[in-house]
Amino acid sequence: MKYVRYFIIMYVLTFLLQSCGFSDWEVTELYAQKIEGTPKVLYKYDAWGGLDANASGYVILDSSETFKVKIRNDLPFMYLQEIPDKTIIKGVSHICDSSCGENYNKVTPIFVPVKKEKTESQNIKIVNNIYQYKGFSERTKLLETLQFQKFRETRDSLFFYNLDDVESVNGKHLDSLKFKKTDITIRQTKAQKISNITVEDLVVNQNSNEIILCQTYFLTPKEELNSTLFSDYGIFKEVIK
């Protein structure tokens, strides 16, 4: 009888773990970029499990491995600070640090990291600069949605030209925008036509590490554009199933 009870308990536990998303995840978004000089790939993902469990983040895998959600392998940051390379990847995250919720208006914002964490993944050093939530929040601006006519890519930057805001009431026009390659994501169709480009424009002072700006741009091409025109260096591209 005790064995029957044991198997019932194990079955219930297994069911609950799977329902909570610890075993089975549905990957809803998956993007990849190659890490230059290595066979490694940096993935950016979002996934949902049972009981509305959500997982998202960044993971390094060898190119021979198949991506699977394993939260223990997630890198600790929320945004990329620089283009990943074969020796080091720098990222940024934030913590409450008594500066969120009811305490938000009571504390003084801090714009430099409150601490730094150093770890390692797949033999690559991982540096995570952690900011106070209020300081990070006060340097964060609202989403910009724009259409662009053409682009130009250099090794460390992307330039977009002839941009129009087609969603706001008044609209606006920009001759150009320049973004440092930090966290740029291309969503595409199976035919590799670009649906949209999301840029997490994170600007950090190189000397003091003060957070200057964090702003998201949602860009769509005015004309059909193939994702192969963009390199795999410093740019995430959607993994097509």
Side-chain angles (χ1 to χ4, degrees), residues 89-135:
I89 297 177
K90 293 183 179 181
V92 162
S93 63
H94 54 69
I95 56 173
C96 182
D97 195 35
S98 301
S99 71
C100 55
E102 295 180 357
N103 294 323
Y104 186 87
N105 294 320
K106 300 177 183 178
V107 300
T108 302
I110 301 171
F111 301 111
V112 295
V114 293
K115 62 179 179 178
K116 178 185 289 188
E117 292 179 343
K118 295 182 179 180
T119 55
E120 187 174 295
S121 179
Q122 296 278 341
N123 297 318
I124 298 176
K125 294 178 182 178
I126 308 299
V127 176
N128 180 28
N129 284 318
I130 304 171
Y131 291 81
Q132 177 207 56
Y133 174 78
K134 183 173 183 178

Side-chain angles (χ1 to χ4, degrees), residues 78-203:
M78 303 167 66
Y79 302 89
L80 279 173
Q81 185 174 339
E82 295 181 0
I83 299 173
D85 68 34
K86 62 183 180 181
T87 60
I88 188 170
I89 297 177
K90 293 183 179 181
V92 162
S93 63
H94 54 69
I95 56 173
C96 182
D97 195 35
S98 301
S99 71
C100 55
E102 295 180 357
N103 294 323
Y104 186 87
N105 294 320
K106 300 177 183 178
V107 300
T108 302
I110 301 171
F111 301 111
V112 295
V114 293
K115 62 179 179 178
K116 178 185 289 188
E117 292 179 343
K118 295 182 179 180
T119 55
E120 187 174 295
S121 179
Q122 296 278 341
N123 297 318
I124 298 176
K125 294 178 182 178
I126 308 299
V127 176
N128 180 28
N129 284 318
I130 304 171
Y131 291 81
Q132 177 207 56
Y133 174 78
K134 183 173 183 178
F136 195 92
S137 177
E138 293 199 355
R139 294 290 166 87
T140 301
K141 293 188 177 182
L142 297 175
L143 170 72
E144 290 270 7
T145 302
L146 300 164
Q147 288 187 332
F148 66 93
Q149 186 70 43
K150 58 182 181 178
F151 79 96
R152 179 170 66 89
E153 179 179 354
T154 64
R155 183 164 179 79
D156 63 358
S157 301
L158 274 178
F159 299 80
F160 294 92
Y161 300 99
N162 189 17
L163 302 108
D164 292 298
D165 179 351
V166 294
E167 292 199 358
S168 64
V169 175
N170 297 322
K172 67 178 179 181
H173 174 81
L174 296 173
D175 291 331
S176 64
L177 272 177
K178 175 186 177 182
F179 299 108
K180 178 184 174 182
K181 288 182 181 178
T182 50
D183 212 324
I184 297 172
T185 304
I186 293 178
R187 181 175 285 122
Q188 58 184 335
T189 68
K190 289 184 178 180
Q192 295 183 302
K193 304 301 181 183
I194 293 176
S195 302
N196 58 68
I197 301 173
T198 301
V199 179
E200 302 288 357
D201 189 26
L202 178 67
V203 182

